[in-house]
Amino acid sequence: MVSASGELTLERAIAEFDPSAYQAFEHQATEQREETLRRYPREHWREMTLEEYAQGQEGHPENFCRWIERQTDQMGSIRGGSARKLIIYKHRDKPGWYFPPDYETERVAWNAVREGFIHAFDFADRQRWDEIDEIEPLTRGAALLTKVLWVYFRNDLLPITSSENLRHFLRVAGRGDVAADQSIRTIRLNRELLAALRNHPKLAEASTKALERMLYMRFSPFEGRLVKIAPGRDARFWPECRAESYICVGWEAVGDLRQYESKEAFLAAFREAYGDTHATEAKLKEKADEVWLLLDLAVGERVVANKGTKEILAVGTIESPGYVWNSDRETHNHTLKVRWDESYATEFPPQPYWAFKTVLPLSSKVRARILGEVQPQDSGEDQPAPPISEEEPLFRRVAAALERKNQAVLYGPPGTGKTWHASGFARWWLQSRNASAPAIHPAAAPSVGGDRARAWLVTTRPSEWRWDELFDKGEEQFRRGRLGRNYEIISPGDLVFGYTATPEKRVEVLARVARLVEANGNPTFVLVPLTRVAEGPTWDELQADEFLRVSEPVRNRMQGTLFQLLPDETKRLMAVIAERDPEAAATATTSSVETPVPDEYSGAPWVIVGDSDLSFGRRFVV
């Protein structure tokens, strides 16, 4: 059946369950499991050496961890993330080993880990599954442990290794109580989910692999992630990508991504291969992160093939085996197996930032527009406000709230029309009162479309001061610099983008103006921190952006301290940050510094607008 909201239910998925639909996956999983048993029979664990187990050793390129992580995707994916999930490994880019700090040496650690696996097998034999989660040497490698146990006990566990995915599927299965209990660990989560599925007669005898495929293909936890990947400059490789059902990416000098035991090892190799092509370490790491993401993408996630900044060629679903190093290609050897759907092909509102990214996870707003899930009001382009007549019912509700409580708050995620509605209401309110309401006070007004900035860019030099000090101290008073006019109009509550000059040359933090002070008889400001920004936009990117290259900080080549950003520039800069660090952007939209309303307006109705586009949580009197 389908719920009232139109969502697929587990009951309907079970009614439609056909094991034969998953035979190809079952066959691959069986082949991989049988080869694993041949290479690493259970009885061999007592004699297994550290060299046979651990990744990263030049003399042992073939080892258990590499085989389990890289060569057996149908037995449950544990790719991506830190190599620490393997518990012990040899450092590739520096001498020595990584192992849990509870042990004196890697050999002592390995003895404990090996005994931990043997104990886990013994507990599984005796159906003491809940005790396996408590085996101390293995608690750091829950995903690895789950996958290994499936090899030897495939009827007792699902080949699902992620605790977050297990919690997602438990909610689907109606076991939200178990999913919400954060004290329950991976093995028990897995067993609880399997029991919930086995309670349905039609699933009682199904293989655990078929159950896993049903869950991922009907209730994928990855539906929210959509990644843009350009098939070469100007989409020059699109014909072969479409014909051969893959997407391809360059940066091939680093070779097959599966050869690296950790992201850190890959970054070292990327730095060696491409260090001369990037001016900064931050930019190099940004590109390395794009390439490494290919290994982290899972079967069932979706990919957008784009041409330039405004054309969608197709949307595809990643299929097994996912990432493949295609040595037959002359260039762009990194590939993902993808089933394409060209019905999504369309012209798209320009996304200037796409010019700087080959592989890019898209925001929820862009994702919704591409997939046709909703028609967002804000596409990143200037649009007229909704007609007043259509909004009048909302305005009347706001007016009623003002009459009752003398205030109203419009809230919601960025892009849902708060700014439109607030400014439209202000006009409607004044018109309905025949302009008898108090005038909008200039110090509190949102100035939608006006010349007063709602945000600023502040630059610092690392040789004199770093943004880390703001977070350490809690606040910082800035000295007065060039462009003195800006110091006369900055206000408490204003948003600040913190930029670091050479050598970083990028936006690194978001902050707010806490208060204004005087220094040597001249006004200046005090900042409080909001959040650090991961991989903020660089000087080169600011210069290249069609909105930001004409902004005051770029026109002045960052020669100064305090620069004004106009509404469109603020909106654009926040959108760029939101693509890379959604949490930082969300922090900016939900935090505020209270701005007092002058006494003469203290009795007047007022509206709070909290929106990342223009107003940033300021309030204005109506």
Side-chain angles (χ1 to χ4, degrees), residues 231-245:
R233 185 180 297 276
D234 201 32
R236 64 192 179 105
F237 298 119
W238 174 239
E240 55 212 77
C241 288
R242 177 177 54 194
E244 301 296 330
S245 299

Side-chain angles (χ1 to χ4, degrees), residues 126-146:
R126 293 184 282 164
Q127 297 296 300
R128 292 166 56 181
W129 292 96
D130 289 353
E131 297 178 57
I132 295 176
D133 279 319
E134 308 303 322
I135 300 175
E136 180 58 34
L138 306 183
T139 55
R140 295 174 176 84
L144 173 66
L145 172 61
T146 306

Side-chain angles (χ1 to χ4, degrees), residues 376-396:
Q377 293 177 324
D378 183 7
S379 66
E381 303 171 302
D382 291 331
Q383 300 180 31
I388 294 296
S389 59
E390 295 180 8
E391 302 300 326
E392 189 162 328
L394 169 65
F395 294 162
R396 292 190 182 282

